[in-house]
């Protein structure tokens, strides 16, 4: 199957804005240099080899010209103008803000081709925050190869950095064409931490006999690469930032929907813009209500109304209870009419909360006059409690929708929008997956609902 890619105007705008920052930069072929191939020993004779290498030509624009170009782009697109060039790991640090799902990977790959076409720059390093995103970026290069061949008449030579295959760095340096190295932070942050104890750190910062007694970091830096940061807000640790500096970057391009540290923004496509341009699908939002009840601080959540032909409606309520050790914990229990929450919880906050009515339409009423509807939360809550309820409600709604759609052959998709990926999943320095708080909550709530549904 062959994919057809449609050129979107907003993506073209993002590319053109970035390229325009360097308006006035002369177009050069790559800057040639004598590439050190290392020192080798042969028959007790030590000899050194050299060969031509190709790196990016230096920036010839002064800082004021670059700042003037940035302001011109910012004024055209109603972006707050920069007062001075932003500080960062390179002389120039640009932010491109694009909402998730609008094709930022496509944009930064196309930006490489345009920078190469207009200014002759050909050496790029793409830094990504995880192994999963690294694999996604590599897949994009593969899928888009023919598309960009049709547009530019050339292909990018790309590879994923592997400390066990350093010969790729020689190919990267000697290639006079468009060359891209992709590296993830699990390899990068550990390996770039000079003096670190990891295997990668020892390799990239030490002179290797099998690599001609050269340091790999020096071979990379000689190319003066353009660094592209994919999701830079996840890569702000000192080890990562120090490592990028050692790459000797010509400049840095940061691509994200949620920049944490701001630099010079040259393009911004936020969530509202993406929706107005119909770049993302309309969704049905599942919500719930926080109800503040006067005279109580006891937490309650009406989970569901249980219906059975053999008994009256019952209410599944989550509430707080005191354990034998005096600790306050939350539990879920099924209640019937006449049951008293204070007796079950042993907490004074639930005084007067005796169930007087359980209505099949989805609400309960207590003797003190309080009514609580399904999905409502009341009492003392914190942000994590609310997030747990949202995750629980989403899973429950997904099950309900799936029952309706499965026999019709329609796949149900439910989405949870979170503020940062690390709260769901991250990776340690060895590349091992670390569960975030949301993943733990999701698995707990999913297991609970499955157990209740199938009586496991």
């Amino acid at each position: 199957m062959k994919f057809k890619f449609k050129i979107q105007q907003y993506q073209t705008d993002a590319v053109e804005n970035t390229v325009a920052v360097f308006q006035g930069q002369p177009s050069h072929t790559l800057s040639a240099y004598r590439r050190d191939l290392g020192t080798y020993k042969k028959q007790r004779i030590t000899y050194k080899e050299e060969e031509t290498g190709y790196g990016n030509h230096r920036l010839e624009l002064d800082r004021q010209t670059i700042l003037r170009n940035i302001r011109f782009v910012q004024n055209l697109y109603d972006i707050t103008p920069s007062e001075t060039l932003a500080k960062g790991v390179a002389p120039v640090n640009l932010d491109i803000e694009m909402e998730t799902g609008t094709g930022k990977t496509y944009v930064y790959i196309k930006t490489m081709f345009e920078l190469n076409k207009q200014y002759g720059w050909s050496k790029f390093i793409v830094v990504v925050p995880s192994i999963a995103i690294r694999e996604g970026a590599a897949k994009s290069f593969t899928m888009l190869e023919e598309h960009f061949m049709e547009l530019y008449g050339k292909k990018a030579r790309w590879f994923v950095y592997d400390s066990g295959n350093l010969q790729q760095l020689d190919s990267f340096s000697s290639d006079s064409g468009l060359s891209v190295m992709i590296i993830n932070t699990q390899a990068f942050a550990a390996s770039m931490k000079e003096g670190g104890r990891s295997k990668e750190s020892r390799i990239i910062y030490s002179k290797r006999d099998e690599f001609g007694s050269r340091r790999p970091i020096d071979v990379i830096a000689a190319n003066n690469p353009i660094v592209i940061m994919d999701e830079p807000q996840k890569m702000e640790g000192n080890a990562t930032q120090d490592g990028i500096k050692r790459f000797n970057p010509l400049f840095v391009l940061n691509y994200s929907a949620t920049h944490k540290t701001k630099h010079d923004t040259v393009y911004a496509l936020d969530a509202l813009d993406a929706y107005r341009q119909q770049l993302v699908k309309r969704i049905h939002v599942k919500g719930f209500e926080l109800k503040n009840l006067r005279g109580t601080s006891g937490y309650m959540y009406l989970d569901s109304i249980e219906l059975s032909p053999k008994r009256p409606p019952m209410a599944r309520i989550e509430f707080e209870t005191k354990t034998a050790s005096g600790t306050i914990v939350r539990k879920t229990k099924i209640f019937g009419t006449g049951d008293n929450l204070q007796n079950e919880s042993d907490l004074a906050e639930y005084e007067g909360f005796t169930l007087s009515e359980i209505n099949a339409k989805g609400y309960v009423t207590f003797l003190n006059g309080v009514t609580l509807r399904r999905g409502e939360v009341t009492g003392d809550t914190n942000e994590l409690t609310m997030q747990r309820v949202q995750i629980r409600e989403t899973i429950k709604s997904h099950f309900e929708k799936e029952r309706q759609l499965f026999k019709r052959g329609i796949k149900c998709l439910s989405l949870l929008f979170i503020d940062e990926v690390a709260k769901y999943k991250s990776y340690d320095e060895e590349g091992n997956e670390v569960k975030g708080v949301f993943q733990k909550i999701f698995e707990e709530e999913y297991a609970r609902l499955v157990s209740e549904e199938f009586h496991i």
Side-chain angles (χ1 to χ4, degrees):
M1 181 175 65
K2 184 177 179 180
F3 288 93
K4 285 287 186 179
F5 295 92
K6 180 181 178 181
I7 299 175
Q8 303 281 357
Q9 184 58 48
Y10 73 92
Q11 294 173 335
T12 300
D13 292 341
V15 174
E16 291 180 348
N17 284 16
T18 305
V19 174
V21 168
F22 306 100
Q23 185 69 35
Q25 168 77 14
S27 179
H28 293 285
T29 56
L30 285 173
S31 179
Y33 64 92
R34 298 307 298 168
R35 186 166 65 88
D36 179 10
L37 293 182
T39 301
Y40 297 88
K41 293 182 178 180
K42 186 177 183 180
Q43 296 179 346
R44 298 183 179 180
I45 299 174
T46 300
Y47 65 96
K48 191 176 187 67
E49 292 187 353
E50 290 185 343
E51 187 179 277
T52 301
Y54 299 95
N56 285 330
H57 196 279
R58 64 183 179 83
L59 269 172
E60 297 185 24
L61 303 179
D62 59 39
R63 293 176 63 85
Q64 287 304 313
T65 300
I66 294 174
L67 180 58
R68 185 165 58 248
N69 289 343
I70 290 173
R71 286 174 174 170
F72 177 78
V73 169
Q74 291 171 332
N75 287 329
L76 280 179
Y77 283 81
D78 197 27
I79 300 170
T80 302
S82 300
E83 295 183 4
T84 59
L85 282 182
K87 294 181 179 179
V89 296
V92 179
N93 305 270
L94 305 178
D95 290 347
I96 297 87
E97 181 180 325
M98 297 186 68
E99 189 64 21
T100 301
T102 57
K104 61 181 171 61
T105 306
Y106 176 93
V107 168
Y108 68 64
I109 295 176
K110 186 174 182 179
T111 299
M112 295 179 194
F113 278 92
E114 279 296 324
L115 290 171
N116 173 253
K117 176 182 177 181
Q118 298 199 33
Y119 307 116
W121 291 321
S122 293
K123 298 299 172 74
F124 299 87
I125 296 178
V126 178
V127 184
V128 298
S130 70
I131 296 171
I133 296 179
R134 182 196 71 188
E135 295 305 308
K139 184 67 174 178
S140 294
F141 273 94
T142 300
M143 293 174 59
L144 291 163
E145 189 173 77
E146 290 188 22
H147 172 72
F148 286 120
M149 180 66 183
E150 293 174 0
L151 290 179
Y152 295 96
K154 64 174 63 178
K155 295 182 180 180
R157 179 191 175 275
W158 63 272
F159 68 99
V160 175
Y161 171 79
D162 179 1
S163 61
N165 185 10
L166 297 177
Q167 302 311 315
Q168 291 177 316
L169 300 181
D170 276 328
S171 298
F172 180 67
S173 299
S174 62
D175 194 341
S176 60
L178 183 56
S179 304
V180 185
M181 180 175 81
I182 306 171
I183 186 169
N184 57 286
T185 53
Q186 285 68 40
F188 180 78
S191 63
M192 293 298 136
K193 191 173 182 180
E194 193 162 12
R197 298 180 181 179
S198 69
K199 177 182 178 182
E200 293 85 357
S201 179
R202 292 195 300 272
I203 289 175
I204 205 164
Y205 280 109
S206 63
K207 294 181 178 180
R208 313 294 299 175
D209 290 340
E210 70 275 16
F211 200 50
S213 298
R214 294 172 297 169
R215 298 199 320 167
I217 185 63
D218 296 332
V219 174
I220 296 171
N223 296 287
N224 203 195
I226 296 167
V227 172
I228 291 174
M229 303 285 285
D230 188 338
E231 304 293 340
Q233 73 277 9
K234 302 181 180 69
M235 298 180 281
E236 297 193 352
N238 292 334
T240 302
Q241 295 296 304
D242 290 344
I244 295 170
K245 289 180 183 178
R246 293 185 176 95
F247 278 148
N248 188 30
L250 186 67
F251 54 84
V252 174
L253 305 178
N254 301 287
Y255 290 81
S256 176
T258 53
H259 292 279
K260 184 177 180 180
T261 299
K262 300 288 186 179
H263 303 95
D264 294 311
T265 303
V266 294
Y267 185 77
L269 179 74
D270 60 21
L272 183 57
D273 291 331
Y275 179 74
R276 285 173 175 170
Q277 295 184 42
Q278 298 182 334
L279 305 178
V280 294
K281 302 286 186 181
R282 175 175 289 187
I283 60 174
H284 177 73
V285 179
K286 174 70 176 181
F288 66 95
E289 183 180 351
L290 175 60
K291 187 172 184 179
N292 296 312
L293 300 179
R294 186 176 299 175
T296 180
S297 58
Y299 167 83
M300 287 189 297
Y301 167 68
L302 179 55
D303 186 285
S304 62
I305 302 295
E306 305 287 328
L307 301 177
S308 170
K310 299 180 180 180
R311 64 180 185 185
M314 306 288 284
R316 182 185 296 273
I317 300 174
E318 184 178 51
F319 62 105
E320 293 179 337
T321 182
K322 183 187 293 185
T323 65
S325 63
T327 304
I328 305 299
V329 298
R330 287 180 180 168
K331 64 180 289 187
T332 301
K333 183 178 178 180
I334 296 177
F335 292 93
T337 302
D339 288 342
N340 184 288
L341 267 66
Q342 185 179 15
N343 293 341
E344 185 65 32
S345 66
D346 195 27
L347 293 172
E349 287 83 355
Y350 294 101
E351 182 180 359
F353 281 91
T354 299
L355 284 157
S356 60
E357 180 186 8
I358 301 175
N359 195 294
K361 293 182 178 180
Y363 65 87
V364 298
T365 303
F366 298 92
L367 287 178
N368 59 9
V370 171
T371 296
L372 189 64
R373 299 186 179 278
R374 210 205 72 72
E376 285 183 344
V377 181
T378 184
D380 289 336
T381 58
N382 56 36
E383 184 179 31
L384 195 59
T385 296
M386 305 296 282
Q387 290 165 340
R388 177 179 287 274
V389 172
Q390 287 177 310
I391 291 172
R392 180 186 301 168
E393 286 292 314
T394 302
I395 298 171
K396 186 176 296 185
S397 295
H398 182 91
F399 284 171
E400 294 170 355
K401 184 66 69 175
E402 199 166 39
R403 287 192 191 93
Q404 302 170 19
L405 300 177
F406 181 78
K407 292 182 179 180
R408 296 166 57 187
I410 299 174
K411 184 177 180 179
C412 177
L413 179 65
S414 298
L415 303 177
L416 293 163
F417 292 89
I418 61 179
D419 53 351
E420 57 177 318
V421 176
K423 286 187 178 179
Y424 184 79
K425 181 170 64 176
S426 61
Y427 297 88
D428 61 23
E429 290 189 351
E430 302 300 322
N432 301 311
E433 181 180 317
V434 178
K435 292 182 180 181
V437 60
F438 290 161
Q439 185 175 1
K440 293 176 182 177
I441 291 175
F442 180 89
E443 291 178 355
E444 291 167 1
E445 293 300 323
Y446 185 89
R448 186 181 73 86
L449 289 168
V450 168
S451 176
E452 293 173 359
E453 181 76 18
F454 300 103
H455 307 290
I456 297 175

